[in-house]
Amino acid sequence: MAKQPMLKFVTVGRDMPEKRVPNLRSKDFHEIYAEYADEKAKEQAGRCSQCGVPYCQTHCPLHNNIPDWLRMTAEGRLREAYELSQVTNTFPEICGRICPQDRLCEGNCVIEQSGHGTVTIGAVEKYITDTAWEEGWVQPIAPTNERPESVGIIGAGPGGLAAADHLRRAGVQVTVYDRYDRGGGLMTYGIPGFKLEKDVVMRRMEQLEQGGVGFRLNCNVGDDISFEEIRATHDAVIIATGVYKSRELPGPGAGAKGIVRAIDYLTTSNRLGFGDSVPDFDSGELNAEGKKVIVIGGGDTAMDCVRTAVRQGAESVKCLYRRDRANMPGSQREVKNAEEEGVIFEWLAAPKGFKGDPVSGVMVQRMRLGVPDATGRQSPEVIEGADYTESADLVIKALGFEPEDLPALWDQPELTVTGWGTIKAQYGSGETDLEGVYAVGDIVRGASLVVWAIRDGRDCADAILTRLNGVKKIAAE
């Protein structure tokens, strides 16, 4: 009797429903995974009801034509599905990985609303574009005609890169200025590699460079080059710096060693993934291994921190949030993932102060939700006499980000900002009060989503092209 091939089972995918897939020795794992992924993508896409009111599309900031590319995927027309998806989305493989689909497209899927479980739109989107890269369907940027006009973009995050892509495809000369040594902004240094693989971001950076986008990295505007110099060099300027100023913690002991900013912690972890040498990690300052970690905050950045600490081998990881689970701003999917990985959430808990230097504990005060404010959200109130202390060796502040004072940093007092410090810009175009200067993404919205930055970048690029075309037409006459 012929000997049967040995079977080894592997568990596949958090993005797709779990399945045990036989791994035959005669087949490569990636080949088996590709077959499985194709099968599951078609299965999920085929569940789309093709409803008359596509709420998935209307709740997508980019208004992606989701029903049609799902239908094409179900029919095996994968290249057409990719080509349709990239018409409205500059980086579909990135959005498929990190968009909070549970709050956007998937959360508004008609099938989900009827109680039968959403179509896994994000996983299908990721699969479509990953396949497109593998098969060589992603075409290089090759403008039909080169234009003499140039645009300078300050910030190489999703908003700036989306604008750069859109403008370059129209033949405009584009230069991107960024303070970091790699482009990508928070996609590179803020979002953990287990959520967004860095080669995926670097692949897009390479595509932009090969398409003619110029990058001046390690370039801090205001120090290495003045804003006025950039403005004098280009026909238009886009400010896409994002918001990087961390909100600070109040209370006694807040300056103790061992209390660190989320952005520093996440940047260190991501640099290690690139193979960089990071002294603050080697010294243990930004390394959670073997430590009792407390993360303070309830947004997506806090979730990134707790899950990174787990992967670094923390002894324990707890997250303190001053409101309850229903009122937290972060993705519920992320919270569930963190809980599965052993993170403990302390709801209705806020820091009052800190013990020790280096830090040895967080003084916590219990909260309750009070009367709703003007937005309808209940404000947290302190419960007197319910304080306690949590042991901690590392405390990570993930309270959100605020804009830097760009008018002061860049010596541009005429650059108008809002009461929140964000740049005041026209809705849709991103035009500011300075002639030929635009702003997009978080520096306008405040800390927001990558997908909204992409939308802003594309809209702003369209507005600039309209302006440049108008100027060109008048000059010709």
Side-chain angles (χ1 to χ4, degrees), residues 192 194-195 266 295-311 317 319-321 328-339 341 343 345 347 398:
F194 58 83
K195 285 174 59 178
L266 293 173
V295 176
I296 301 172
D300 289 334
T301 299
M303 299 307 99
D304 291 343
C305 289
V306 296
R307 299 185 67 198
T308 297
V310 168
R311 283 157 177 76
V317 182
C319 180
L320 305 184
Y321 182 55
M328 73 174 298
S331 167
Q332 290 295 328
R333 182 179 295 174
E334 284 288 298
V335 175
K336 182 180 178 182
N337 288 341
E339 287 178 327
E341 292 166 4
V343 175
F345 286 85
W347 308 110

Short mmCIF file of all heavy atoms in Angstrom, two decimals, residues 192 194-195 266 295-311 317 319-321 328-339 341 343 345 347 398:
data_model
loop_
_atom_site.label_atom_id
_atom_site.label_comp_id
_atom_site.label_asym_id
_atom_site.label_seq_id
_atom_site.Cartn_x
_atom_site.Cartn_y
_atom_site.Cartn_z
N PRO A 192 2.43 49.63 14.42
CA PRO A 192 3.30 48.45 14.57
C PRO A 192 3.34 47.58 13.31
O PRO A 192 2.37 47.51 12.55
CB PRO A 192 2.66 47.68 15.73
CG PRO A 192 1.83 48.69 16.46
CD PRO A 192 1.34 49.64 15.41
N PHE A 194 3.17 44.44 13.09
CA PHE A 194 2.25 43.29 13.06
C PHE A 194 0.89 43.71 12.49
O PHE A 194 0.09 42.84 12.14
CB PHE A 194 2.09 42.64 14.44
CG PHE A 194 1.60 43.57 15.53
CD1 PHE A 194 0.25 43.82 15.69
CD2 PHE A 194 2.49 44.15 16.41
CE1 PHE A 194 -0.21 44.66 16.70
CE2 PHE A 194 2.05 44.98 17.43
CZ PHE A 194 0.69 45.24 17.58
N LYS A 195 0.62 45.01 12.41
CA LYS A 195 -0.60 45.50 11.77
C LYS A 195 -0.34 45.96 10.34
O LYS A 195 -1.19 45.80 9.46
CB LYS A 195 -1.19 46.66 12.58
CG LYS A 195 -1.87 46.23 13.86
CD LYS A 195 -2.32 47.42 14.68
CE LYS A 195 -3.27 48.33 13.98
NZ LYS A 195 -3.71 49.45 14.86
N LEU A 266 6.65 53.50 20.24
CA LEU A 266 6.31 52.82 18.99
C LEU A 266 7.38 53.04 17.93
O LEU A 266 7.69 52.12 17.16
CB LEU A 266 4.95 53.31 18.49
CG LEU A 266 3.75 52.93 19.36
CD1 LEU A 266 2.48 53.61 18.86
CD2 LEU A 266 3.56 51.41 19.39
N VAL A 295 -0.45 51.21 30.23
CA VAL A 295 -0.69 52.13 29.12
C VAL A 295 -1.91 52.97 29.48
O VAL A 295 -2.94 52.44 29.87
CB VAL A 295 -0.91 51.39 27.79
CG1 VAL A 295 -1.25 52.37 26.68
CG2 VAL A 295 0.32 50.56 27.43
N ILE A 296 -1.78 54.28 29.34
CA ILE A 296 -2.87 55.19 29.70
C ILE A 296 -3.45 55.80 28.44
O ILE A 296 -2.78 56.49 27.69
CB ILE A 296 -2.35 56.30 30.64
CG1 ILE A 296 -1.76 55.67 31.91
CG2 ILE A 296 -3.47 57.27 31.00
CD1 ILE A 296 -1.05 56.64 32.81
N GLY A 297 -4.73 55.50 28.20
CA GLY A 297 -5.41 55.99 27.00
C GLY A 297 -6.35 54.94 26.44
O GLY A 297 -6.24 53.76 26.78
N GLY A 298 -7.27 55.37 25.58
CA GLY A 298 -8.24 54.42 25.04
C GLY A 298 -8.40 54.47 23.54
O GLY A 298 -9.36 53.93 22.99
N GLY A 299 -7.44 55.10 22.83
CA GLY A 299 -7.51 55.18 21.38
C GLY A 299 -6.72 54.07 20.71
O GLY A 299 -6.18 53.17 21.35
N ASP A 300 -6.61 54.18 19.38
CA ASP A 300 -5.91 53.15 18.62
C ASP A 300 -4.41 53.13 18.95
O ASP A 300 -3.77 52.08 18.91
CB ASP A 300 -6.11 53.39 17.12
CG ASP A 300 -7.53 53.06 16.67
OD1 ASP A 300 -8.18 52.22 17.33
OD2 ASP A 300 -7.99 53.64 15.67
N THR A 301 -3.85 54.30 19.29
CA THR A 301 -2.43 54.33 19.67
C THR A 301 -2.19 53.54 20.95
O THR A 301 -1.20 52.82 21.09
CB THR A 301 -1.95 55.79 19.85
OG1 THR A 301 -2.10 56.48 18.61
CG2 THR A 301 -0.50 55.83 20.29
N ALA A 302 -3.13 53.65 21.90
CA ALA A 302 -3.02 52.87 23.13
C ALA A 302 -3.06 51.38 22.82
O ALA A 302 -2.31 50.58 23.41
CB ALA A 302 -4.13 53.25 24.10
N MET A 303 -3.94 50.99 21.89
CA MET A 303 -4.03 49.57 21.52
C MET A 303 -2.73 49.11 20.87
O MET A 303 -2.26 47.98 21.11
CB MET A 303 -5.20 49.35 20.56
CG MET A 303 -6.58 49.70 21.13
SD MET A 303 -6.96 48.90 22.70
CE MET A 303 -6.59 50.23 23.85
N ASP A 304 -2.12 49.96 20.05
CA ASP A 304 -0.84 49.61 19.44
C ASP A 304 0.23 49.40 20.51
O ASP A 304 1.06 48.50 20.41
CB ASP A 304 -0.40 50.71 18.48
CG ASP A 304 -1.28 50.81 17.24
OD1 ASP A 304 -2.02 49.86 16.96
OD2 ASP A 304 -1.22 51.85 16.56
N CYS A 305 0.20 50.24 21.55
CA CYS A 305 1.20 50.14 22.61
C CYS A 305 1.03 48.86 23.43
O CYS A 305 2.02 48.17 23.73
CB CYS A 305 1.12 51.36 23.53
SG CYS A 305 1.70 52.89 22.78
N VAL A 306 -0.20 48.54 23.83
CA VAL A 306 -0.40 47.35 24.66
C VAL A 306 -0.02 46.08 23.91
O VAL A 306 0.60 45.16 24.46
CB VAL A 306 -1.84 47.25 25.22
CG1 VAL A 306 -2.15 48.40 26.15
CG2 VAL A 306 -2.89 47.16 24.12
N ARG A 307 -0.36 46.05 22.61
CA ARG A 307 -0.07 44.84 21.84
C ARG A 307 1.41 44.73 21.51
O ARG A 307 1.95 43.61 21.41
CB ARG A 307 -0.92 44.83 20.57
CG ARG A 307 -2.43 44.80 20.85
CD ARG A 307 -3.26 44.67 19.60
NE ARG A 307 -3.07 43.37 18.99
CZ ARG A 307 -3.39 43.10 17.71
NH1 ARG A 307 -3.88 44.06 16.94
NH2 ARG A 307 -3.20 41.89 17.23
N THR A 308 2.09 45.87 21.39
CA THR A 308 3.55 45.85 21.19
C THR A 308 4.24 45.36 22.47
O THR A 308 5.18 44.55 22.42
CB THR A 308 4.06 47.25 20.83
OG1 THR A 308 3.49 47.64 19.57
CG2 THR A 308 5.58 47.27 20.72
N ALA A 309 3.75 45.82 23.62
CA ALA A 309 4.35 45.39 24.90
C ALA A 309 4.22 43.89 25.10
O ALA A 309 5.13 43.23 25.61
CB ALA A 309 3.69 46.15 26.05
N VAL A 310 3.07 43.33 24.71
CA VAL A 310 2.89 41.88 24.79
C VAL A 310 3.95 41.18 23.96
O VAL A 310 4.57 40.19 24.40
CB VAL A 310 1.48 41.49 24.30
CG1 VAL A 310 1.37 39.98 24.10
CG2 VAL A 310 0.42 41.97 25.29
N ARG A 311 4.18 41.67 22.76
CA ARG A 311 5.14 41.03 21.85
C ARG A 311 6.58 41.20 22.32
O ARG A 311 7.45 40.43 21.93
CB ARG A 311 4.95 41.59 20.45
CG ARG A 311 3.72 41.00 19.76
CD ARG A 311 3.18 41.88 18.64
NE ARG A 311 2.06 41.22 17.98
CZ ARG A 311 0.84 41.14 18.50
NH1 ARG A 311 0.58 41.68 19.69
NH2 ARG A 311 -0.13 40.51 17.85
N VAL A 317 0.49 43.48 31.16
CA VAL A 317 0.12 44.69 30.44
C VAL A 317 -1.30 45.08 30.83
O VAL A 317 -2.23 44.27 30.71
CB VAL A 317 0.19 44.51 28.91
CG1 VAL A 317 -0.14 45.83 28.21
CG2 VAL A 317 1.56 44.01 28.48
N CYS A 319 -4.25 48.41 30.62
CA CYS A 319 -4.63 49.66 29.97
C CYS A 319 -5.64 50.38 30.86
O CYS A 319 -6.67 49.81 31.22
CB CYS A 319 -5.24 49.38 28.59
SG CYS A 319 -5.73 50.86 27.69
N LEU A 320 -5.34 51.62 31.22
CA LEU A 320 -6.25 52.44 32.01
C LEU A 320 -6.98 53.40 31.09
O LEU A 320 -6.35 54.12 30.31
CB LEU A 320 -5.50 53.26 33.07
CG LEU A 320 -4.59 52.54 34.06
CD1 LEU A 320 -4.04 53.55 35.06
CD2 LEU A 320 -5.31 51.42 34.76
N TYR A 321 -8.32 53.41 31.19
CA TYR A 321 -9.10 54.37 30.41
C TYR A 321 -10.19 54.96 31.29
O TYR A 321 -10.87 54.24 32.01
CB TYR A 321 -9.72 53.70 29.17
CG TYR A 321 -10.48 54.68 28.32
CD1 TYR A 321 -9.87 55.84 27.84
CD2 TYR A 321 -11.82 54.46 28.01
CE1 TYR A 321 -10.57 56.75 27.07
CE2 TYR A 321 -12.53 55.37 27.25
CZ TYR A 321 -11.91 56.52 26.78
OH TYR A 321 -12.61 57.43 26.03
N MET A 328 -15.07 54.26 24.49
CA MET A 328 -13.67 54.43 24.11
C MET A 328 -13.57 54.76 22.63
O MET A 328 -14.38 54.29 21.81
CB MET A 328 -12.86 53.18 24.44
CG MET A 328 -13.11 51.98 23.56
SD MET A 328 -11.97 50.64 23.94
CE MET A 328 -10.40 51.42 23.57
N PRO A 329 -12.61 55.60 22.23
CA PRO A 329 -12.50 56.00 20.83
C PRO A 329 -11.82 54.99 19.92
O PRO A 329 -11.96 55.05 18.70
CB PRO A 329 -11.65 57.28 20.91
CG PRO A 329 -10.82 57.10 22.15
CD PRO A 329 -11.68 56.33 23.10
N GLY A 330 -11.10 54.06 20.49
CA GLY A 330 -10.38 53.08 19.68
C GLY A 330 -11.28 52.00 19.10
O GLY A 330 -12.45 51.86 19.46
N SER A 331 -10.72 51.22 18.19
CA SER A 331 -11.45 50.15 17.52
C SER A 331 -11.78 49.03 18.50
O SER A 331 -10.92 48.53 19.21
CB SER A 331 -10.61 49.60 16.36
OG SER A 331 -11.13 48.39 15.88
N GLN A 332 -13.04 48.61 18.52
CA GLN A 332 -13.45 47.49 19.36
C GLN A 332 -12.77 46.19 18.92
O GLN A 332 -12.50 45.31 19.73
CB GLN A 332 -14.98 47.33 19.32
CG GLN A 332 -15.73 48.44 20.02
CD GLN A 332 -15.48 48.47 21.52
OE1 GLN A 332 -15.26 47.44 22.14
NE2 GLN A 332 -15.50 49.66 22.11
N ARG A 333 -12.49 46.11 17.65
CA ARG A 333 -11.78 44.93 17.14
C ARG A 333 -10.38 44.84 17.74
O ARG A 333 -9.89 43.77 18.10
CB ARG A 333 -11.70 45.00 15.61
CG ARG A 333 -11.02 43.81 14.96
CD ARG A 333 -11.00 43.96 13.45
NE ARG A 333 -12.34 43.95 12.88
CZ ARG A 333 -12.60 44.18 11.59
NH1 ARG A 333 -11.63 44.44 10.76
NH2 ARG A 333 -13.84 44.13 11.16
N GLU A 334 -9.74 46.01 17.87
CA GLU A 334 -8.40 46.06 18.46
C GLU A 334 -8.45 45.68 19.94
O GLU A 334 -7.56 45.00 20.45
CB GLU A 334 -7.81 47.45 18.30
CG GLU A 334 -7.32 47.76 16.90
CD GLU A 334 -6.05 47.01 16.58
OE1 GLU A 334 -5.04 47.22 17.25
OE2 GLU A 334 -6.09 46.18 15.65
N VAL A 335 -9.48 46.14 20.63
CA VAL A 335 -9.63 45.80 22.05
C VAL A 335 -9.78 44.29 22.20
O VAL A 335 -9.15 43.66 23.07
CB VAL A 335 -10.85 46.52 22.66
CG1 VAL A 335 -11.06 46.06 24.10
CG2 VAL A 335 -10.65 48.03 22.63
N LYS A 336 -10.61 43.70 21.37
CA LYS A 336 -10.81 42.25 21.43
C LYS A 336 -9.50 41.51 21.17
O LYS A 336 -9.16 40.54 21.87
CB LYS A 336 -11.87 41.83 20.40
CG LYS A 336 -12.19 40.35 20.42
CD LYS A 336 -13.25 39.99 19.39
CE LYS A 336 -13.53 38.49 19.39
NZ LYS A 336 -14.53 38.12 18.36
N ASN A 337 -8.76 41.96 20.16
CA ASN A 337 -7.47 41.33 19.87
C ASN A 337 -6.53 41.43 21.06
O ASN A 337 -5.84 40.47 21.42
CB ASN A 337 -6.82 41.98 18.65
CG ASN A 337 -7.51 41.64 17.34
OD1 ASN A 337 -8.25 40.66 17.26
ND2 ASN A 337 -7.31 42.46 16.33
N ALA A 338 -6.51 42.61 21.69
CA ALA A 338 -5.63 42.82 22.84
C ALA A 338 -6.02 41.91 24.00
O ALA A 338 -5.16 41.33 24.68
CB ALA A 338 -5.66 44.28 23.27
N GLU A 339 -7.32 41.78 24.25
CA GLU A 339 -7.80 40.91 25.32
C GLU A 339 -7.40 39.46 25.06
O GLU A 339 -7.00 38.74 25.99
CB GLU A 339 -9.31 41.03 25.48
CG GLU A 339 -9.75 42.35 26.12
CD GLU A 339 -11.26 42.47 26.21
OE1 GLU A 339 -11.97 41.94 25.32
OE2 GLU A 339 -11.74 43.09 27.17
N GLU A 341 -4.86 38.50 23.64
CA GLU A 341 -3.41 38.40 23.85
C GLU A 341 -3.01 38.58 25.31
O GLU A 341 -1.82 38.58 25.63
CB GLU A 341 -2.71 39.44 22.96
CG GLU A 341 -2.84 39.11 21.47
CD GLU A 341 -2.47 40.28 20.56
OE1 GLU A 341 -2.02 41.32 21.10
OE2 GLU A 341 -2.62 40.15 19.34
N VAL A 343 -4.04 41.22 27.51
CA VAL A 343 -4.07 42.58 28.06
C VAL A 343 -5.28 42.72 28.98
O VAL A 343 -6.39 42.28 28.65
CB VAL A 343 -4.13 43.63 26.94
CG1 VAL A 343 -4.28 45.05 27.52
CG2 VAL A 343 -2.89 43.54 26.06
N PHE A 345 -7.89 45.32 30.79
CA PHE A 345 -8.40 46.68 30.68
C PHE A 345 -9.05 47.10 31.99
O PHE A 345 -9.89 46.38 32.54
CB PHE A 345 -9.41 46.79 29.53
CG PHE A 345 -8.78 46.75 28.18
CD1 PHE A 345 -8.48 45.54 27.56
CD2 PHE A 345 -8.46 47.93 27.52
CE1 PHE A 345 -7.88 45.50 26.32
CE2 PHE A 345 -7.86 47.91 26.27
CZ PHE A 345 -7.57 46.70 25.66
N TRP A 347 -11.38 49.77 33.07
CA TRP A 347 -12.28 50.81 32.60
C TRP A 347 -12.61 51.76 33.76
O TRP A 347 -12.53 51.40 34.92
CB TRP A 347 -13.57 50.21 32.05
CG TRP A 347 -13.35 49.14 31.01
CD1 TRP A 347 -13.58 47.81 31.15
CD2 TRP A 347 -12.84 49.31 29.69
NE1 TRP A 347 -13.24 47.13 30.00
CE2 TRP A 347 -12.79 48.04 29.08
CE3 TRP A 347 -12.41 50.43 28.96
CZ2 TRP A 347 -12.34 47.85 27.79
CZ3 TRP A 347 -11.97 50.24 27.66
CH2 TRP A 347 -11.94 48.97 27.08
N ALA A 398 -0.48 57.43 26.20
CA ALA A 398 -1.12 57.36 24.88
C ALA A 398 -2.42 58.16 24.92
O ALA A 398 -3.50 57.63 24.70
CB ALA A 398 -1.39 55.90 24.50
#
